């Protein structure tokens, strides 16, 4: 029998629940092909929302040699700015972290799209953001 890693309510120790979604680049929406280009993480208990992005230009251009690399980089940078809050977040600057996360993970038909939201437990949501970027994007 293999060990299962299920945590019941109250058994998480010092870990907090977090939610995350991948950011996907879909250069030609009609084809449905995508590459992972970032991760969004939200942890309500720590009032944290963060994003880290990495665009593999060679993989992108393999899907669409005419892809607007500069435009895609700008869209990914805008996601990071919204997560950071402040003046760089534009109209979302006054929103709480949860509202900014929900807005960013809302389905959309654009070249940069959020994937489904998943959950986990962490003691450090910022470190978790980096871990997920390395695991799922790079």
């Amino acid at each position: 029998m293999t060990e299962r890693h299920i945590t019941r309510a109250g058994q998480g120790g010092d870990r907090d629940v977090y939610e995350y979604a991948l950011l996907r680049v879909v250069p030609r929406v009609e084809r449905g092909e995508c590459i992972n280009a970032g991760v969004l993480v939200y942890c309500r208990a720590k009032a944290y929302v963060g994003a880290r992005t990495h665009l593999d230009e060679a993989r992108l251009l393999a899907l669409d040699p005419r892809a607007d690399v500069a435009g895609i980089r700008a869209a990914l940078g805008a996601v990071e700015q919204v997560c950071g809050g402040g003046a760089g977040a534009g109209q979302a600057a006054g929103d709480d972290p949860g509202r900014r996360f929900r807005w960013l993970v809302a389905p959309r038909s654009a070249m940069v799209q959020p994937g489904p939201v998943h959950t986990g437990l962490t003691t450090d949501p910022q470190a978790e953001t980096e871990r997920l970027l390395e695991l799922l994007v790079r």
Side-chain angles (χ1 to χ4, degrees):
M1 182 170 203
T2 61
E3 181 180 340
R4 296 189 66 190
H5 297 281
I6 297 175
T7 303
R8 301 201 192 309
Q11 295 178 333
D14 59 349
R15 298 181 299 169
D16 296 307
V17 173
Y18 72 93
E19 299 173 69
Y20 73 95
L22 288 170
L23 291 173
R24 298 174 175 161
V25 175
V26 186
R28 293 177 58 192
V29 176
E30 69 277 9
R31 292 183 60 144
E33 299 168 330
C34 66
I35 62 168
N36 294 341
V39 63
L40 292 162
V41 173
Y42 169 58
C43 180
R44 180 178 176 191
K46 303 279 190 204
Y48 172 85
V49 63
R52 291 282 288 123
T53 61
H54 170 77
L55 182 61
D56 186 332
E57 193 172 317
R59 289 180 69 204
L60 173 63
L61 294 174
L63 290 179
D64 183 2
R66 295 176 309 227
D68 179 7
V69 176
I72 292 167
R73 285 192 190 283
L76 292 169
V79 170
E80 290 191 53
Q81 287 183 334
V82 168
C83 286
Q91 289 182 317
D95 290 341
D96 64 76
R99 187 174 173 121
R100 290 195 314 266
F101 178 77
R102 297 284 173 244
W103 182 76
L104 289 167
V105 298
R108 54 185 47 99
S109 179
M111 274 200 267
V112 175
Q113 300 177 2
V117 176
H118 306 282
T119 61
L121 294 172
T122 187
T123 57
D124 184 348
Q126 188 170 5
E128 196 66 30
T129 306
E130 294 294 332
R131 186 187 77 80
L132 290 170
L133 180 74
E134 290 299 321
L135 179 69
L136 302 173
V137 177
R138 291 188 190 243

